[in-house]
Amino acid sequence: MKKKRSFLTALVIALGLIVSACNSEPEANEGSTNTSAAKAGGNLIVAIKDDPKTFNPIYAGDRMSLTIGKALFSPLFTINDGKKTFVLAESLTPSADLTKYTLKLRSGLTWHDGQKLTADDVVFTLNSILDEKQHSYFRSLFVLDGKPVQVNKLDELTVEIVLPQASASFEGALVQISPIPKHIFEGEADMEKSAKNHSPVGSGPFKFKEYRSGEYVIVERNDKYFGDKAKLDSITYRVAKDSNAAILALQNGEINMMLVEPQDYNKVKDTGKSELLMFPSGGVTTMVFNTNIDVMKRREVRQAIAHAIDKKELITMGFSSVDFAEPAASIFSPDTLYQKKELKTYEYDQAKAKELLKTAGADNLKIRFAYYNASKAEGNMSLYLQQKLKEIGVQVELIPLDGATLGKKALNKDNADYDLSFGGYSMGYEPDAYKAIYLGNAPYNYSHYKNDEFDKLWIKAAVETDANKRADLYKRIQEMAADDVTTYPIAYGKSIIAVDKRFGGLQEAVPKQVVLFDDFTKIYMK
């Protein structure tokens, strides 16, 4: 999910994202912060597009869950711009052959309910992820060449993790994990559906206070947090599905922070009431072909649709301007290791598109296109796509869906309710994280594409320790993805965060992909 951050909504940008673990500094911002003006107290109101899908971090893949989880649960460590910072952990020591890692926790850690946080919780968390009955999407990151890692408690603060073979990607997997409390979840047959998730007990700088579905989530400062205490008294995450209403609320001071779509950038800027921070999102906006549908199994059909679209025009429709996004070629984002820039592309060519459709025997094609109805960008791009495909003889039925419905359908491995959709993800610097989307049996494989050769490349790359050989494997993965085009990269976008000028500490908090800021403890009311 961060150059290491997340990600995943899953990776559907409309639905949310996975976390990786490193982050990049803001590319541009307006205004500055003055820590000398910081004071304790106040409530920050953050707009979120929808209800969080979960409060349990081992299932969090959507933007809302990840953002709120950032306040409630602390990770073992983070990696930002290549620099590792320990949080719950005090150290992580690999063996010389990279097949064993020794993790040592800080002493004196506690959960929000006062219970001690120990090695038992870390072992329980990792074993729960590995338990196939608990179906956490993180599982694929801890299974190497078909074999799971082994997790052992050495003492109250020390955990040993034994890998079935050396792996250069292991720290990139572990950085995404925030432990969950064993004393809360032990014995739960299905933790994802457990009622205990409704009142989360975390380890982070804020603790859960209240949740009203469709309205808000409130977290309050954890005064017993081991690290720097939050300056704010509380954060309210307000569900604001209508972006126009959210912008009006931002102008009126009823909302203090929100992600801004490119179409609304100037509108927010012109009010003069908000600081605007813009930086590379670390994400990839995509078009996803549902290969559960027979016609979408034909590569010529997928390539024809790609040729029917002028990518720069599509970006302008979705992002207002190429100032807010650049055309994408690789399934990897620019901040991912081994991203390949020179790949097969599909230039806008209607004649070629028609020829490919004829070759595929797909004359008079009719397709169903699903999109997230709360996203202006997706709505605009869907209309553009409908028109461009009509020009090559393809009829498109547009299916607008709310986030929950679209997410549920996308996660259904037998999904046949639509043929095509937009997607997106922000996976970070470690390419192994992309397995959660692209392996044939991956939970977030929204294209439902299965190819044994493709899977073998991912599995081999995950355990290859030679940098040159790893690079070659990921090069081949990107080339195969570009050729088969079951997921078509559209754009590498930018994140835009608007923050009420009455709040400071923004640079210290570090703007971050998906979760808005890396450290909300630094934000204060002026």
Side-chain angles (χ1 to χ4, degrees), residues 252-264:
N252 295 335
E254 298 166 5
I255 283 174
N256 310 124
M257 180 184 294
M258 65 179 288
L259 275 174
V260 175
E261 294 195 51
Q263 296 89 339
D264 298 320

Side-chain angles (χ1 to χ4, degrees), residues 43-174:
N43 175 50
L44 176 72
I45 304 174
V46 179
I48 55 176
K49 278 283 190 182
D50 210 337
D51 287 277
K53 304 297 183 291
T54 183
F55 289 117
N56 189 321
I58 74 170
Y59 298 106
D62 62 287
R63 186 187 297 275
M64 287 65 68
S65 299
L66 291 166
T67 299
I68 297 170
K70 186 75 178 171
L72 292 173
F73 290 88
S74 288
L76 295 168
F77 58 95
T78 63
I79 301 178
N80 290 301
D81 293 328
K83 179 183 177 182
K84 185 187 299 178
T85 302
F86 289 104
V87 185
L88 295 180
E90 184 177 86
S91 64
L92 178 67
T93 306
S95 62
D97 61 359
L98 299 180
T99 61
K100 187 182 296 183
Y101 286 78
T102 304
L103 176 79
K104 189 168 184 63
L105 294 173
R106 297 176 184 271
S107 62
L109 296 173
T110 60
W111 295 102
H112 291 161
D113 62 2
Q115 294 291 313
K116 290 182 178 181
L117 193 164
T118 69
D120 288 320
D121 297 299
V122 177
V123 172
F124 175 78
T125 300
L126 291 174
N127 282 336
S128 296
I129 289 170
L130 289 167
D131 184 350
E132 293 184 83
K133 295 179 181 178
Q134 298 295 352
H135 39 82
S136 168
Y137 79 76
F138 283 114
R139 185 177 189 275
S140 65
L141 302 181
F142 296 94
V143 177
L144 305 177
D145 200 13
K147 300 175 183 178
V149 303
Q150 295 181 350
V151 189
N152 307 308
K153 173 185 174 181
L154 299 184
D155 59 41
E156 283 299 297
L157 298 177
T158 311
V159 175
E160 177 187 72
I161 305 170
V162 181
L163 281 56
Q165 61 188 101
S167 170
S169 65
F170 181 71
E171 286 193 18
L174 193 62

Side-chain angles (χ1 to χ4, degrees), residues 173-249:
L174 193 62
V175 75
Q176 301 189 47
I177 303 305
S178 294
I180 58 175
K182 178 181 178 180
H183 69 281
I184 298 293
F185 288 105
E186 188 172 27
E188 290 291 304
D190 188 343
M191 284 194 294
E192 185 176 23
K193 297 178 180 178
S194 172
K196 294 177 180 179
N197 289 320
H198 302 159
S199 300
V201 176
S203 58
F206 292 87
K207 56 186 180 181
F208 177 81
K209 182 179 181 181
E210 184 180 2
Y211 171 44
R212 286 198 176 187
S213 180
E215 296 185 42
Y216 58 77
V217 179
I218 300 176
V219 300
E220 58 187 358
R221 182 175 57 242
N222 173 19
D223 288 322
K224 296 182 180 179
Y225 187 59
F226 71 92
D228 292 340
K229 308 298 186 293
K231 295 178 175 65
L232 295 167
D233 287 331
S234 58
I235 303 175
T236 298
Y237 300 93
R238 176 176 158 185
V239 178
K241 297 184 180 183
D242 185 296
S243 59
N244 290 323
I247 289 171
L248 181 60

